[in-house]
Amino acid sequence: MKVSFNWLKTLINTTHSAQEVADLLTASGLEVEGLETFESLKGGLQGLLVGQVVECEKHPDADKLSLTKVDVGTGELLQIVCGAPNVAVHQKVIVALVGAKLYPNTGEPFDIKKSKIRGAISEGMLCAEDEIGLGASHAGIMVLPENIKVGTPASTYFKIESDTILEIGLTPNRSDAASHLGVARDLAAILNSKSLTNEAQITISGLQPLPEATNINKVNIQVNTTEACKRYCGLVISGITVNDSPTWLQNRLKAIGLRPINNIVDITNFVLHEMGQPLHAFDLEAIQGNAVIVRTAIEGEKFVSLEGTERTLIASDLVIANATQPMCLAGVFGGLSSGVSSKTTSIFLESAYFDAGFVRKTAKHHNLKTDASFRFERGTDPNITINALTRAANLIFEMAGGVLSMDVVDIYPEKLEPYKIAFSYTDCDNLIGKEIDRTTIKAILTNLGIEIENEGNDALLLNVPRYKTDVTRQADVIEEVMRIYGYNNVEVSKQISYTAISETKNKDSIAENKVATTIEGFGFNEIMTLSLSKETYYAAENNNVKIVNPLSNDLNVLRGDMIYSGLEAIAYNINRKNSDLKLFEMGRVYQQTQNEDDKYSEQKQVTLFATGNVFNENAHQLTNKADFLFLKAALINVLNKCGITNLKSIESTYSNFEYGLTYLLNTKVIAQVGSIAKATLKKFDINQPVYYAQINWDVLVKALSKQKIQFTELSKFPSVRRDLALLIDKTINYQQIEEIAFATEKKLLKEVNLFDIYEGEKLGNKKSYAVSFTLLNNEATLTDKEIDKVMEKLILNYKEKLGAELR
């Protein structure tokens, strides 16, 4: 949210600089993410002064140039070469001094330098209006009225406004600060609590009583849906002239990134950003039947919004209608036929308090995000509607003329009372961790607009205003006290308390540390991605957990698989020239179940991704590429570190794998690893191989809890490895190869490992598996004869049982 510092200073008297204010607000929880400068004219006419031409003669070496001497109030005359045909003695002109930077209407900005033009020194420039961005004419230099004082800065003469804009990262719970008034309220509370005085006062102009109404117009206001509109106010102003807004109002809006439209619309936008109350102006002639009806839409009803789009309404949409049709989506967007135009002479001005839920559903359904819906969705102040209406009406009288032709109508059937909250000083001290002076606490509360209704020895009974939508309990009030008092003012305790971790009660945390440490040891970096995902990723599945009120169509389901969020992170990095990645994540996946008692399930997983080079660029020329074997080794090491060694591997059937292995612990899947299919990578525009591993956390932790540490003497004799390249049918999987191997040799065979798979057109319907076999005799060194005998038996069995051929 953008806040104008100049605008803020019209509401609160402060001598602090913009940076000091930014620091104070940030310390109180309204984080100022940055400061930027706004100038109503780019460059702000810096380095430009009003000067007077004292001498003017023709340039001796150029027919179309003049040599001038110009007084700019510095005590020395400047010699300036000028090419304008209208330059003359005694003229008051705009002079750009050496060092100034000009921003013309067309072309690139340029600096003014001391130079020689046809042999004559020129110490500045006499400016035309287009050369400094003030107009389009280039017929000659600007000639000013004679009464302008020499040396007057051009920015002063042309009333160029310079402002500092505070970019505030507003959190969803701080709807009370979604305006300049809200920010000023916080700033006043901070300043006054520090001095325990009320020197920082908030002042809003334009709240004087409205003139007496002529009541020549009458609009019948009817609220049919009181649960959606708890307060509705309106008035009519006739005889207005719709025109451009005055410069000061245009500058206020431009400073915060809004485009001025006309005086009526600009005033409603101004009041919204000043006071936080959205307003809407209807052309009175468009209100058919002189009726304004607040109701829910009729299912299928048509409505043409302000930008010309025809929308089909649903029954939950709240609308402002006339006697025949909707004129406005309440709190969201205006209609094309009822908006203010240059022909409008009378308006109905609305100020209302709409229910946040109704506005949010309508804005979401129609994919509309406006400044009004932003505030209504988070909650506005029901008690500011009349003040906002008064402020806007007085501005309209000032800028557009007109008379009050229908007095304020205020429909407020059930007044929304302040939140009553019991507050304990002791609870406040305990929660904050410091005893704050009682006088300071009361000063903070009152400066925030919280009324103290009653006071006891240790407690206060508070009336919290409705604009503080998230302050509804004691803990919320304590948070308000804490942020205004200052988090930095709470000292760090000199005592450190530590609770020893119970291994039996914290198995999950202990396992997390062990697994994360092991994975990090392989050079992996941990990532954290959103649990919300895109439904199109899971198009082939029907057990997705859908979000009832999603933030967007890209975040409309809970993820059912962590591979997609990881690939999003990889694509993001690759697009930013970071293609060598080793990432891991611990998170949860969500699915619907067929169980009536428990319709949803969530499972924790650990995922690993590897792509690009294993090592960063280095002086040792290590350029190993991440591949299936690298990630498989990392996965096996993690499992071994957790004491899980008796694994059985089978060929993976995971749909996102080109090829891969699934590891079973007894009969349960504990992990899988493989190369991600090209079709999956294509969805993310990833053009390099990516390898992926996944660990089922529940199975891992259960196995870890049963782990018993046993020591086995290392063999005194060496192991032997032999490799076979087997050409087999595509229908045969790795599990069959492994099972035949251990059935063939039960004593000497210790490990079987698949380290390469090859499939190509030349092999037809066959594939090649490269398999290693590790042999070990714990009682003696293996002889070549023993090794050959085992290998021959393996080859024979593979030929007989699988029809395998050696490559």
Side-chain angles (χ1 to χ4, degrees), residues 545-568:
V545 180
K546 295 183 180 181
I547 305 299
V548 175
N549 186 29
L551 294 172
S552 72
N553 290 332
D554 289 339
L555 300 170
N556 55 359
V557 296
L558 288 173
R559 65 182 174 195
D561 195 327
M562 290 174 63
I563 189 173
Y564 301 115
S565 55
L567 287 175
E568 286 176 345

mmCIF file of all heavy atoms in Angstrom, residues 545-568:
data_model
loop_
_atom_site.group_PDB
_atom_site.id
_atom_site.type_symbol
_atom_site.label_atom_id
_atom_site.label_comp_id
_atom_site.label_asym_id
_atom_site.label_seq_id
_atom_site.Cartn_x
_atom_site.Cartn_y
_atom_site.Cartn_z
ATOM 1 N N VAL A 545 -7.859 -32.618 -2.976
ATOM 2 C CA VAL A 545 -8.524 -31.834 -1.934
ATOM 3 C C VAL A 545 -8.640 -30.408 -2.453
ATOM 4 O O VAL A 545 -7.655 -29.673 -2.510
ATOM 5 C CB VAL A 545 -7.739 -31.873 -0.610
ATOM 6 C CG1 VAL A 545 -8.456 -31.038 0.446
ATOM 7 C CG2 VAL A 545 -7.563 -33.304 -0.126
ATOM 8 N N LYS A 546 -9.834 -30.003 -2.859
ATOM 9 C CA LYS A 546 -10.040 -28.698 -3.464
ATOM 10 C C LYS A 546 -10.273 -27.626 -2.400
ATOM 11 O O LYS A 546 -10.871 -27.892 -1.365
ATOM 12 C CB LYS A 546 -11.227 -28.749 -4.428
ATOM 13 C CG LYS A 546 -11.002 -29.663 -5.626
ATOM 14 C CD LYS A 546 -12.178 -29.617 -6.590
ATOM 15 C CE LYS A 546 -11.935 -30.531 -7.788
ATOM 16 N NZ LYS A 546 -13.063 -30.483 -8.748
ATOM 17 N N ILE A 547 -9.800 -26.425 -2.691
ATOM 18 C CA ILE A 547 -9.977 -25.287 -1.793
ATOM 19 C C ILE A 547 -11.328 -24.633 -2.098
ATOM 20 O O ILE A 547 -11.643 -24.351 -3.257
ATOM 21 C CB ILE A 547 -8.847 -24.261 -1.981
ATOM 22 C CG1 ILE A 547 -7.476 -24.931 -1.802
ATOM 23 C CG2 ILE A 547 -9.007 -23.102 -1.011
ATOM 24 C CD1 ILE A 547 -7.247 -25.544 -0.450
ATOM 25 N N VAL A 548 -12.107 -24.388 -1.071
ATOM 26 C CA VAL A 548 -13.436 -23.809 -1.259
ATOM 27 C C VAL A 548 -13.329 -22.375 -1.766
ATOM 28 O O VAL A 548 -14.065 -21.959 -2.661
ATOM 29 C CB VAL A 548 -14.232 -23.862 0.060
ATOM 30 C CG1 VAL A 548 -15.566 -23.144 -0.093
ATOM 31 C CG2 VAL A 548 -14.453 -25.306 0.488
ATOM 32 N N ASN A 549 -12.387 -21.614 -1.206
ATOM 33 C CA ASN A 549 -12.247 -20.200 -1.585
ATOM 34 C C ASN A 549 -10.790 -19.921 -1.951
ATOM 35 O O ASN A 549 -10.054 -19.287 -1.211
ATOM 36 C CB ASN A 549 -12.688 -19.312 -0.416
ATOM 37 C CG ASN A 549 -12.704 -17.842 -0.788
ATOM 38 O OD1 ASN A 549 -12.909 -17.487 -1.936
ATOM 39 N ND2 ASN A 549 -12.471 -16.983 0.182
ATOM 40 N N PRO A 550 -10.357 -20.427 -3.124
ATOM 41 C CA PRO A 550 -8.933 -20.320 -3.474
ATOM 42 C C PRO A 550 -8.496 -18.894 -3.745
ATOM 43 O O PRO A 550 -9.288 -18.051 -4.179
ATOM 44 C CB PRO A 550 -8.827 -21.179 -4.744
ATOM 45 C CG PRO A 550 -10.190 -21.140 -5.338
ATOM 46 C CD PRO A 550 -11.143 -21.083 -4.180
ATOM 47 N N LEU A 551 -7.211 -18.621 -3.491
ATOM 48 C CA LEU A 551 -6.657 -17.302 -3.773
ATOM 49 C C LEU A 551 -6.600 -17.046 -5.267
ATOM 50 O O LEU A 551 -6.784 -15.930 -5.726
ATOM 51 C CB LEU A 551 -5.245 -17.199 -3.176
ATOM 52 C CG LEU A 551 -5.152 -17.249 -1.649
ATOM 53 C CD1 LEU A 551 -3.696 -17.334 -1.218
ATOM 54 C CD2 LEU A 551 -5.788 -16.018 -1.042
ATOM 55 N N SER A 552 -6.332 -18.113 -6.047
ATOM 56 C CA SER A 552 -6.287 -17.996 -7.501
ATOM 57 C C SER A 552 -6.444 -19.391 -8.088
ATOM 58 O O SER A 552 -6.406 -20.394 -7.371
ATOM 59 C CB SER A 552 -4.952 -17.381 -7.953
ATOM 60 O OG SER A 552 -3.902 -18.310 -7.775
ATOM 61 N N ASN A 553 -6.600 -19.452 -9.415
ATOM 62 C CA ASN A 553 -6.731 -20.743 -10.083
ATOM 63 C C ASN A 553 -5.426 -21.531 -10.065
ATOM 64 O O ASN A 553 -5.423 -22.734 -10.322
ATOM 65 C CB ASN A 553 -7.194 -20.538 -11.533
ATOM 66 C CG ASN A 553 -8.633 -20.060 -11.593
ATOM 67 O OD1 ASN A 553 -9.433 -20.351 -10.715
ATOM 68 N ND2 ASN A 553 -8.957 -19.295 -12.631
ATOM 69 N N ASP A 554 -4.323 -20.855 -9.793
ATOM 70 C CA ASP A 554 -3.039 -21.552 -9.680
ATOM 71 C C ASP A 554 -2.817 -22.129 -8.292
ATOM 72 O O ASP A 554 -1.837 -22.842 -8.063
ATOM 73 C CB ASP A 554 -1.892 -20.592 -10.005
ATOM 74 C CG ASP A 554 -1.839 -20.249 -11.488
ATOM 75 O OD1 ASP A 554 -2.400 -21.023 -12.283
ATOM 76 O OD2 ASP A 554 -1.248 -19.216 -11.831
ATOM 77 N N LEU A 555 -3.711 -21.805 -7.351
ATOM 78 C CA LEU A 555 -3.570 -22.290 -5.976
ATOM 79 C C LEU A 555 -4.935 -22.778 -5.492
ATOM 80 O O LEU A 555 -5.434 -22.347 -4.467
ATOM 81 C CB LEU A 555 -3.047 -21.180 -5.068
ATOM 82 C CG LEU A 555 -1.682 -20.579 -5.418
ATOM 83 C CD1 LEU A 555 -1.411 -19.340 -4.582
ATOM 84 C CD2 LEU A 555 -0.566 -21.592 -5.224
ATOM 85 N N ASN A 556 -5.526 -23.709 -6.250
ATOM 86 C CA ASN A 556 -6.907 -24.096 -5.948
ATOM 87 C C ASN A 556 -7.066 -25.498 -5.368
ATOM 88 O O ASN A 556 -8.176 -25.947 -5.127
ATOM 89 C CB ASN A 556 -7.785 -23.949 -7.194
ATOM 90 C CG ASN A 556 -7.256 -24.726 -8.387
ATOM 91 O OD1 ASN A 556 -6.216 -25.371 -8.307
ATOM 92 N ND2 ASN A 556 -7.973 -24.656 -9.485
ATOM 93 N N VAL A 557 -5.957 -26.221 -5.146
ATOM 94 C CA VAL A 557 -6.022 -27.525 -4.485
ATOM 95 C C VAL A 557 -4.846 -27.653 -3.516
ATOM 96 O O VAL A 557 -3.832 -26.968 -3.658
ATOM 97 C CB VAL A 557 -5.973 -28.710 -5.483
ATOM 98 C CG1 VAL A 557 -7.181 -28.721 -6.392
ATOM 99 C CG2 VAL A 557 -4.690 -28.696 -6.293
ATOM 100 N N LEU A 558 -5.018 -28.530 -2.530
ATOM 101 C CA LEU A 558 -3.872 -28.905 -1.700
ATOM 102 C C LEU A 558 -3.057 -29.934 -2.477
ATOM 103 O O LEU A 558 -3.614 -30.799 -3.146
ATOM 104 C CB LEU A 558 -4.339 -29.507 -0.374
ATOM 105 C CG LEU A 558 -4.945 -28.530 0.629
ATOM 106 C CD1 LEU A 558 -5.529 -29.280 1.819
ATOM 107 C CD2 LEU A 558 -3.908 -27.534 1.108
ATOM 108 N N ARG A 559 -1.760 -29.813 -2.413
ATOM 109 C CA ARG A 559 -0.929 -30.672 -3.257
ATOM 110 C C ARG A 559 -1.087 -32.137 -2.877
ATOM 111 O O ARG A 559 -1.130 -32.491 -1.700
ATOM 112 C CB ARG A 559 0.536 -30.255 -3.169
ATOM 113 C CG ARG A 559 1.168 -30.442 -1.794
ATOM 114 C CD ARG A 559 2.602 -29.958 -1.784
ATOM 115 N NE ARG A 559 3.152 -30.017 -0.439
ATOM 116 C CZ ARG A 559 4.265 -29.404 -0.056
ATOM 117 N NH1 ARG A 559 4.940 -28.679 -0.918
ATOM 118 N NH2 ARG A 559 4.704 -29.513 1.182
ATOM 119 N N GLY A 560 -1.170 -32.969 -3.895
ATOM 120 C CA GLY A 560 -1.236 -34.413 -3.685
ATOM 121 C C GLY A 560 0.083 -35.078 -3.972
ATOM 122 O O GLY A 560 0.242 -36.290 -3.787
ATOM 123 N N ASP A 561 1.046 -34.279 -4.472
ATOM 124 C CA ASP A 561 2.366 -34.808 -4.824
ATOM 125 C C ASP A 561 3.345 -33.644 -4.736
ATOM 126 O O ASP A 561 3.070 -32.554 -5.251
ATOM 127 C CB ASP A 561 2.326 -35.383 -6.244
ATOM 128 C CG ASP A 561 3.523 -36.265 -6.550
ATOM 129 O OD1 ASP A 561 4.600 -35.983 -6.024
ATOM 130 O OD2 ASP A 561 3.361 -37.235 -7.319
ATOM 131 N N MET A 562 4.485 -33.858 -4.111
ATOM 132 C CA MET A 562 5.435 -32.768 -3.911
ATOM 133 C C MET A 562 6.358 -32.544 -5.104
ATOM 134 O O MET A 562 7.144 -31.603 -5.117
ATOM 135 C CB MET A 562 6.265 -33.021 -2.651
ATOM 136 C CG MET A 562 5.456 -32.887 -1.372
ATOM 137 S SD MET A 562 6.359 -33.331 0.124
ATOM 138 C CE MET A 562 7.650 -32.110 0.137
ATOM 139 N N ILE A 563 6.255 -33.388 -6.120
ATOM 140 C CA ILE A 563 7.157 -33.257 -7.267
ATOM 141 C C ILE A 563 6.923 -31.956 -8.019
ATOM 142 O O ILE A 563 7.856 -31.313 -8.497
ATOM 143 C CB ILE A 563 7.016 -34.484 -8.217
ATOM 144 C CG1 ILE A 563 8.123 -34.450 -9.277
ATOM 145 C CG2 ILE A 563 5.636 -34.525 -8.852
ATOM 146 C CD1 ILE A 563 8.172 -35.695 -10.137
ATOM 147 N N TYR A 564 5.648 -31.522 -8.085
ATOM 148 C CA TYR A 564 5.330 -30.357 -8.912
ATOM 149 C C TYR A 564 5.834 -29.055 -8.298
ATOM 150 O O TYR A 564 6.361 -28.190 -9.008
ATOM 151 C CB TYR A 564 3.819 -30.298 -9.145
ATOM 152 C CG TYR A 564 3.281 -31.534 -9.824
ATOM 153 C CD1 TYR A 564 2.385 -32.385 -9.168
ATOM 154 C CD2 TYR A 564 3.678 -31.887 -11.103
ATOM 155 C CE1 TYR A 564 1.898 -33.528 -9.777
ATOM 156 C CE2 TYR A 564 3.189 -33.036 -11.723
ATOM 157 C CZ TYR A 564 2.302 -33.848 -11.053
ATOM 158 O OH TYR A 564 1.840 -34.987 -11.662
ATOM 159 N N SER A 565 5.663 -28.895 -6.993
ATOM 160 C CA SER A 565 6.156 -27.668 -6.364
ATOM 161 C C SER A 565 7.681 -27.616 -6.423
ATOM 162 O O SER A 565 8.272 -26.538 -6.567
ATOM 163 C CB SER A 565 5.674 -27.579 -4.915
ATOM 164 O OG SER A 565 6.030 -28.728 -4.176
ATOM 165 N N GLY A 566 8.331 -28.783 -6.350
ATOM 166 C CA GLY A 566 9.780 -28.826 -6.475
ATOM 167 C C GLY A 566 10.231 -28.452 -7.879
ATOM 168 O O GLY A 566 11.213 -27.718 -8.060
ATOM 169 N N LEU A 567 9.501 -28.921 -8.895
ATOM 170 C CA LEU A 567 9.846 -28.581 -10.274
ATOM 171 C C LEU A 567 9.606 -27.098 -10.549
ATOM 172 O O LEU A 567 10.324 -26.485 -11.347
ATOM 173 C CB LEU A 567 9.039 -29.445 -11.242
ATOM 174 C CG LEU A 567 9.470 -30.915 -11.332
ATOM 175 C CD1 LEU A 567 8.524 -31.703 -12.221
ATOM 176 C CD2 LEU A 567 10.902 -31.043 -11.834
ATOM 177 N N GLU A 568 8.604 -26.516 -9.901
ATOM 178 C CA GLU A 568 8.399 -25.064 -10.033
ATOM 179 C C GLU A 568 9.615 -24.307 -9.514
ATOM 180 O O GLU A 568 10.063 -23.333 -10.117
ATOM 181 C CB GLU A 568 7.147 -24.637 -9.276
ATOM 182 C CG GLU A 568 5.837 -25.028 -9.951
ATOM 183 C CD GLU A 568 4.614 -24.659 -9.122
ATOM 184 O OE1 GLU A 568 4.777 -24.359 -7.921
ATOM 185 O OE2 GLU A 568 3.499 -24.694 -9.662
#
